[in-house]
Amino acid sequence: MFPTPSTTKLDRERVYEPAEDSFLFLDLLQEELPFLQTRFVTANSPAPLVVELGLGSGIVTTFFHKNILPDALFIGTDINPYACHISKETSKENGNTRYFDVLRTNLWDGLRPGLVDILLFNPPYVPDVVLPSIENAVKTDDWLDFALLGGPDGMQVTSVVLDRLAEILNPVRGVAYILFCRRNRPFEVAKSMRNRGWVVDMVDERKAGWEVLSVWKFTKS
Ligand SMILES: C[S@@+](CC[C@H](N)C(=O)[O-])C[C@H]1O[C@@H](n2cnc3c(N)ncnc32)[C@H](O)[C@@H]1O
């Protein structure tokens, strides 16, 4: 069992505090270690590029960097400027100083298509009638709503990622891990992605209070 990274620099008023969803992600990455090593740690293959969308405190990327594939290259993105700052602090605090950088951007805007080997995303998945707006966040300097609110079905942001997955992932060895809650209807999503040629597997599921969270793996082969 790998230790959970410490996040003592976290400002809970401004950045998502690691919770059940984050910890589910850490556990499943540990379970996926044999698959990831077989797929990415082979003689003469280049170091994989790992991209986490919405990295928040940085706990997931820091865990991955330290324990799963330490020689990979890491980029994290977040729309929240405070998350971008804190995630670098979390990485440093846990001794990861190499091969990691952060982009403040919407999803993966600014990254060249087809280069991402491993995509991680714990999205804003909570259904809500409203979606947070950048204009409002800039005005109020409050970015926390971006952490959870996912529009009417909680899928507003995740759907964009799923629709564009083929664009961002390496076409041969790319793999994405994406978290859903039950109200996102993950089984229907999986069916529709399979119809679009993806291999889709649920890799972990956990009850968190009244919510059921699951993480799904998407590959082309
Ligand atoms: C549920 S939190 C997860 C944080 C962290 N990955 C974890 O597991 O603890 C979702 C994160 O996604 C970020 N986010 C939401 N919409 C985004 C977007 N369009 N582009 C980039 N980041 C976004 C939020 O600011 C927040 O940090």
Side-chain angles (χ1 to χ4, degrees), residues 16 18 21-22 52 54-56 59-60 77-80 105-107 122-124 146-147:
Y16 186 70
D21 47 5
S22 326
E52 183 183 4
L55 84 173
I59 192 171
V60 174
T77 77
D78 209 295
I79 205 152
N80 175 347
T105 190
N106 176 39
L107 300 177
N122 174 9
F146 281 98

Side-chain angles (χ1 to χ4, degrees), residues 17-136:
E17 180 173 3
E20 289 296 335
D21 47 5
S22 326
F23 300 130
L24 174 61
F25 231 109
L26 303 192
D27 291 347
L28 92 89
L29 290 175
Q30 189 160 309
E31 288 157 25
E32 285 290 287
L33 180 60
F35 166 82
L36 291 167
Q37 279 183 333
T38 307
R39 196 167 175 103
F40 294 104
V41 187
T42 51
N44 302 324
S45 73
L49 175 63
V50 182
V51 171
E52 183 183 4
L53 307 178
L55 84 173
S57 64
I59 192 171
V60 174
T61 287
T62 296
F63 180 89
F64 197 111
H65 194 171
K66 204 167 172 67
N67 304 310
I68 308 297
L69 298 178
D71 293 325
L73 309 174
F74 294 85
I75 294 177
T77 77
D78 209 295
I79 205 152
N80 175 347
Y82 299 102
C84 295
H85 173 71
I86 288 294
S87 55
K88 291 216 87 171
E89 294 297 315
T90 300
S91 176
K92 270 191 235 154
E93 183 180 352
N94 291 274
N96 298 339
T97 49
R98 297 183 313 163
Y99 312 139
F100 169 52
D101 217 337
V102 173
L103 276 179
R104 183 183 173 218
T105 190
N106 176 39
L107 300 177
W108 56 70
D109 290 357
L111 291 182
R112 202 186 299 164
L115 287 187
V116 177
D117 293 303
I118 303 167
L119 188 82
L120 310 172
F121 194 28
N122 174 9
Y125 55 79
V126 177
D128 197 290
V129 281
V130 285
L131 251 190
S133 81
I134 296 269
E135 291 74 19
N136 193 47

